[in-house]
Amino acid sequence: MTQKTSNYITKLRNSKLRPTKQRIKICEALFDRSETFHFTIRDLYNLLTNNLVHKISLATVYNTVHAFKNSGYLKQINIDSNNNYFDTNTSHHHHFFDETNNELIDLKNEDIKKIELKKIIPGKKIKSVEVLVKIEPE
Amino acid sequence: MTQKTSNYITKLRNSKLRPTKQRIKICEALFDRSETFHFTIRDLYNLLTNNLVHKISLATVYNTVHAFKNSGYLKQINIDSNNNYFDTNTSHHHHFFDETNNELIDLKNEDIKKIELKKIIPGKKIKSVEVLVKIEPE
DNA sequence: ACCTAATTTATAATCATTCTAAACTGTAAG
DNA sequence: CTTACAGTTTAGAATGATTATAAATTAGGT
Ligand SMILES: [Mn+2]
Ligand SMILES: [Mn+2]
Ligand SMILES: [Zn+2]
Ligand SMILES: [Zn+2]
């Protein structure tokens, strides 16, 4: 077993999932990458089923992605009601969104000045701060 | 005809819509307010049909809200894939989102330090910058 | 090898949104 | 005041993403 595969098995076990062949294939599609991967469930499903002889059902893709999201191995990114994205970059960061091709681009935390709020809501604490920069051709 | 009503008729005509009784009722629900109104289509539909003798169809609510969005009298706010909100405050501003009750709260532009990006995407210009601050009970 | 709970899968159900087409209405010309 | 007709409303159908279901299959322990 490769180093990568045992890493996938760890991720799966941490997510309370048994390492099945379908889930390993999903891990390969998600995590065997040098760059951040931004995807919709449909993107991932198409990617998986185009290359594979043994298809993986859509339900399994949904289940696995959501389990990874819940265990923190994937981040969910809300762009608009038409596009529900996930992100393999789970560090704190923001995004550019190019509406011409529906592409997400990472904006590293150090590429943006710290967001400073002058207003607070009494009795509430901040859970997250997300910045979305929509871009278009010049 | 009241001042308010003629204002609604102006909004409707600017949105290329004839002032029908259904649309005037929708305007009253949306714009006859002192505070910003954040709502989902379902919220608005329930509000309208609970108080009214003559019901308005869901299709008309969708059509009118989208026409107002397209003409700039309403802003669409993307929180997550489950909640598609609209906002009667069309000025540039950001939001708190309280996940315990799904409530949006305006964060005035002057209540947040200007967002400064140190990264740009060549050939692209910025279309919008949106900040969403999720909050939870302390 | 056997047992059992977990998993996969096809399919159905759900839900928001959009589409459709028939009935209705506002407007303006005759 | 009629009439004509484009614009509007509406119920219901269609769509598409997501979630639920339940039967068949599989993984992992004994
Ligand atoms: Mn895509
Ligand atoms: Mn609400
Ligand atoms: Zn990212
Ligand atoms: Zn607002």
Side-chain angles (χ1 to χ4, degrees), chain B residues 17-28:
Chain B
L17 296 178
R18 285 186 184 173
T20 63
K21 27 180 192 336
Q22 290 89 340
R23 287 167 177 167
I24 296 290
K25 291 286 179 195
I26 292 172
C27 284
E28 286 166 359

Side-chain angles (χ1 to χ4, degrees), chain A residues 94 96 107-116 131 133, chain B residues 112-120 126 129 131:
Chain A
H94 304 287
F96 290 106
L107 178 58
K108 292 196 198 72
N109 218 20
E110 58 263 30
D111 287 339
I112 186 168
K113 265 217 196 131
K114 191 168 166 21
I115 310 294
E116 289 186 39
V131 180
V133 181
Chain B
I112 186 169
K113 267 220 193 123
K114 192 168 163 25
I115 312 293
E116 290 186 37
L117 304 177
K118 295 169 193 163
K119 181 180 182 181
I120 54 161
I126 290 171
V129 178
V131 180

Side-chain angles (χ1 to χ4, degrees), chain B residues 38-65:
Chain B
H38 299 109
F39 63 97
T40 65
I41 299 266
R42 181 57 54 179
D43 288 337
L44 179 59
Y45 177 73
N46 290 340
L47 184 73
L48 285 166
T49 54
N50 286 343
N51 297 340
L52 257 55
V53 180
H54 300 287
K55 306 287 186 197
I56 298 179
S57 77
L58 185 58
T60 297
V61 179
Y62 268 96
N63 292 341
T64 307
V65 166

Side-chain angles (χ1 to χ4, degrees), chain A residues 18 20 22-23 57 59:
Chain A
R18 285 184 184 174
T20 63
Q22 291 89 342
R23 287 168 179 166
S57 76

Side-chain angles (χ1 to χ4, degrees), chain B residues 95-106:
Chain B
H95 290 94
F96 291 105
F97 184 65
D98 187 345
E99 284 185 324
T100 56
N101 60 0
N102 279 14
E103 193 191 359
L104 274 168
I105 301 167
D106 280 351

Side-chain angles (χ1 to χ4, degrees), chain A:
Chain A
M1 173 176 330
T2 70
Q3 167 63 46
K4 278 175 180 167
T5 305
S6 70
N7 180 246
Y8 301 153
I9 293 176
T10 303
K11 281 184 161 68
L12 286 167
R13 293 222 180 278
N14 288 344
S15 307
K16 300 187 194 347
L17 296 178
R18 285 184 184 174
T20 63
K21 31 179 190 335
Q22 291 89 342
R23 287 168 179 166
I24 296 289
K25 291 286 179 196
I26 291 172
C27 283
E28 286 166 2
L30 290 178
F31 303 120
D32 192 3
R33 294 174 177 271
S34 51
E35 303 284 323
T36 296
F37 181 38
H38 298 110
F39 63 97
T40 65
I41 299 265
R42 181 57 55 177
D43 289 338
L44 179 59
Y45 177 74
N46 290 341
L47 184 72
L48 285 165
T49 53
N50 287 343
N51 297 341
L52 257 55
V53 180
H54 300 287
K55 306 286 185 197
I56 298 179
S57 76
L58 185 58
T60 297
V61 178
Y62 269 96
N63 291 340
T64 307
V65 166
H66 282 130
F68 280 146
K69 183 197 70 176
N70 292 333
S71 61
Y73 288 117
L74 289 175
K75 235 175 121 166
Q76 191 163 1
I77 301 169
N78 301 116
I79 306 292
D80 58 51
S81 38
N82 307 318
N83 303 95
N84 193 8
Y85 283 91
F86 293 86
D87 190 343
T88 56
N89 179 354
T90 57
S91 74
H92 182 246
H93 68 287
H94 304 287
H95 291 94
F96 290 106
F97 184 66
D98 187 345
E99 284 184 326
T100 57
N101 58 2
N102 278 14
E103 193 190 359
L104 273 168
I105 301 168
D106 280 350
L107 178 58
K108 292 196 198 72
N109 218 20
E110 58 263 30
D111 287 339
I112 186 168
K113 265 217 196 131
K114 191 168 166 21
I115 310 294
E116 289 186 39
L117 305 178
K118 297 171 192 162
K119 181 181 180 180
I120 55 161
I121 309 291
K124 304 287 178 178
K125 68 169 190 288
I126 290 170
K127 193 176 176 185
S128 69
V129 178
E130 306 262 340
V131 180
L132 183 66
V133 181
K134 292 196 176 164
I135 58 180
E136 59 189 352
E138 243 166 1

Side-chain angles (χ1 to χ4, degrees), chain B residues 8 13 15 17 39 74 76 82 94 117 119-121 129:
Chain B
Y8 302 153
R13 292 222 181 278
S15 307
L17 296 178
F39 63 97
L74 289 174
Q76 192 164 1
N82 307 317
H94 305 288
L117 304 177
K119 181 180 182 181
I120 54 161
I121 310 290
V129 178

